[in-house]
Amino acid sequence: MEKNKSKKQRKQSKLFTKLYFKITYWKKLTVALLNDLKTKDPKRAIPIWHVLEIELQSDCNRDCHFCPRHEDRSGIRKDKDGKHIRKSMPTWKVKEILDQAAKLNYKGPIGFHRLSEPFLDKRYVEIATYAKKKGLMISEYSNGDVLKKRPDLIKKIDGLIDKITIGLYDYKNTKEKNEEINFWRNQFKKTKVEFSLANEFPVIRQNSDLYDKEIISNVINNRCFGTMGLRIRYDGEVSLCCEDDQCNFNFGNVFNSTIEEIWWSEKHVKIVKSLRKPGGRKLYPLCKKCAMVLPVSMG
């Protein structure tokens, strides 16, 4: 539905996005700085990550045009013919990463998604239960399709995961949107439910409809704190941020190194620190094209 918006609606969305940048940037930046003060280890060059993502598997049952995986033909999300890649991270490796995080005393949020639908993985309950025993807070994202077909799964994860954000992308009017919201809130009694409204919230991911040079010009000089998440792709590769699905910075692979070695590596620390300075985005090709302003993100 998003791609059928009128020119007027698109223009209004862009104006809203710019206003959103101005209002939220300093607020989010302040939150990130306060988090740093709380978690900063004087023995470390940068604090431990604020959020952990371990992608269980590579696929998604949808093909949303605003998602970066839509145009991928690299063999990471889709092959050269556009067919979905379906690969999984071994269970032993997922649990090993969770063990490493617990050993480092990480107690923050974790999600088992990246650019994928986590509930396509049949191991979800087993792995989420393991993570909870490690003291982690599970914050998950889903398009909801699998869960609608699996009320039994909803019962299993209700209370097991702390928060779930459901993407609402199909409603045609306010009535349908409210019906969807009420439906999902009635499904969960213990888990906090939030929503991602693609038709109302500004979509600023690279390759999305609202993404253009005009928007980039508003944020290119802003400091970036979006690098404070440890995001591990299904194949073990570690990305810089939510926009780096191709893992262009080559920080390392969890099959060859520990998460501690990768996070506090000289290369990673240098890049994170440089992006915290005004104009730091201009130093790297990927960051030059980035319009994201949120310091801490699960995206």
Side-chain angles (χ1 to χ4, degrees):
M1 182 179 175
E2 174 77 10
K3 60 185 177 182
N4 294 325
K5 278 187 174 182
S6 68
K7 289 183 179 180
K8 182 179 180 180
Q9 288 174 314
R10 289 172 186 267
K11 185 176 181 180
Q12 290 175 339
S13 295
K14 287 185 179 182
L15 290 173
F16 177 73
T17 300
K18 291 177 184 178
L19 180 62
Y20 173 79
F21 288 157
K22 293 178 180 179
I23 293 175
T24 64
Y25 177 71
W26 289 108
K27 178 181 177 181
K28 295 292 185 178
L29 182 60
T30 300
V31 170
L33 289 170
L34 289 174
N35 284 337
D36 279 358
L37 291 174
K38 292 178 182 178
T39 61
K40 191 171 180 61
D41 183 343
K43 298 179 181 179
R44 304 292 189 183
I46 58 174
I48 197 169
W49 51 86
H50 295 160
V51 62
L52 174 62
E53 289 179 2
I54 307 174
E55 187 171 48
L56 300 185
Q57 57 86 38
S58 61
D59 199 16
C60 183
N61 57 294
R62 291 203 176 200
D63 194 21
C64 302
H65 73 100
F66 52 81
C67 178
R69 65 177 292 133
H70 181 69
E71 299 297 330
D72 184 83
R73 297 295 184 275
S74 67
I76 300 299
R77 301 297 170 183
K78 297 179 183 178
D79 64 20
K80 62 180 181 179
D81 298 317
K83 294 182 180 179
H84 288 215
I85 299 297
R86 294 181 173 88
K87 294 182 180 179
S88 301
M89 183 182 290
T91 302
W92 67 267
K93 173 50 68 175
V94 178
K95 291 182 176 180
E96 184 178 88
I97 296 170
L98 293 171
D99 291 341
Q100 291 177 23
K103 188 176 181 180
L104 291 169
N105 202 35
Y106 175 69
K107 299 295 183 181
I110 181 172
F112 296 105
H113 60 275
R114 184 64 192 88
L115 295 180
S116 54
E117 170 55 47
F119 297 112
L120 287 175
D121 198 298
K122 296 180 180 180
R123 305 168 297 167
Y124 189 90
V125 173
E126 174 192 351
I127 292 173
T129 301
Y130 191 86
K132 288 293 287 187
K133 290 180 179 179
K134 296 293 177 179
L136 297 173
M137 180 187 77
I138 302 178
S139 180
E140 205 59 84
Y141 281 67
S142 173
N143 58 44
D145 293 347
V146 174
L147 296 177
K148 277 191 173 181
K149 297 176 182 178
R150 293 279 312 277
D152 61 309
L153 181 56
I154 293 178
K155 291 181 180 180
K156 291 178 181 178
I157 65 172
D158 188 18
L160 173 61
I161 62 178
D162 298 271
K163 183 179 77 172
I164 185 167
T165 300
I166 303 291
L168 301 184
Y169 307 138
D170 303 325
Y171 61 86
K172 297 181 177 62
N173 50 53
T174 301
K175 180 176 180 294
E176 288 188 3
K177 179 185 73 173
N178 290 335
E179 287 175 350
E180 281 289 294
I181 289 175
N182 290 332
F183 169 81
W184 287 112
R185 284 179 174 163
N186 289 329
Q187 300 307 304
F188 291 91
K189 308 303 180 185
K190 302 175 183 178
T191 296
K192 182 179 180 181
V193 183
E194 295 184 351
F195 302 95
S196 173
L197 306 174
N199 294 330
E200 298 178 16
F201 194 82
V203 179
I204 53 176
R205 301 296 297 273
Q206 294 191 37
N207 299 319
S208 71
D209 282 351
L210 291 180
Y211 191 85
D212 59 25
K213 293 181 180 179
E214 186 179 1
I215 290 178
I216 296 174
S217 67
N218 286 289
V219 299
I220 191 64
N221 290 313
N222 286 346
R223 295 186 289 174
C224 178
F225 279 75
T227 58
M228 292 311 295
L230 177 57
R231 296 175 170 87
I232 306 169
R233 205 168 62 191
Y234 65 90
D235 57 2
E237 291 292 320
V238 174
S239 62
L240 174 68
C241 62
C242 60
E243 291 290 274
D244 182 31
D245 191 51
Q246 295 296 314
C247 300
N248 291 307
F249 290 85
N250 298 311
F251 290 125
N253 190 296
V254 296
F255 286 91
N256 303 318
S257 306
T258 66
I259 56 176
E260 181 178 14
E261 291 170 340
I262 293 173
W263 185 257
W264 282 292
S265 67
E266 182 179 351
K267 181 178 182 180
H268 182 250
V269 168
K270 179 180 178 180
I271 292 174
V272 168
K273 282 190 169 183
S274 66
L275 287 169
R276 287 176 170 232
K277 299 176 181 178
R281 296 171 185 253
K282 298 177 181 179
L283 299 175
Y284 310 103
L286 181 72
C287 305
K288 283 182 180 179
K289 302 183 294 180
C290 182
M292 296 293 275
V293 298
L294 301 183
V296 182
S297 171
M298 287 287 287

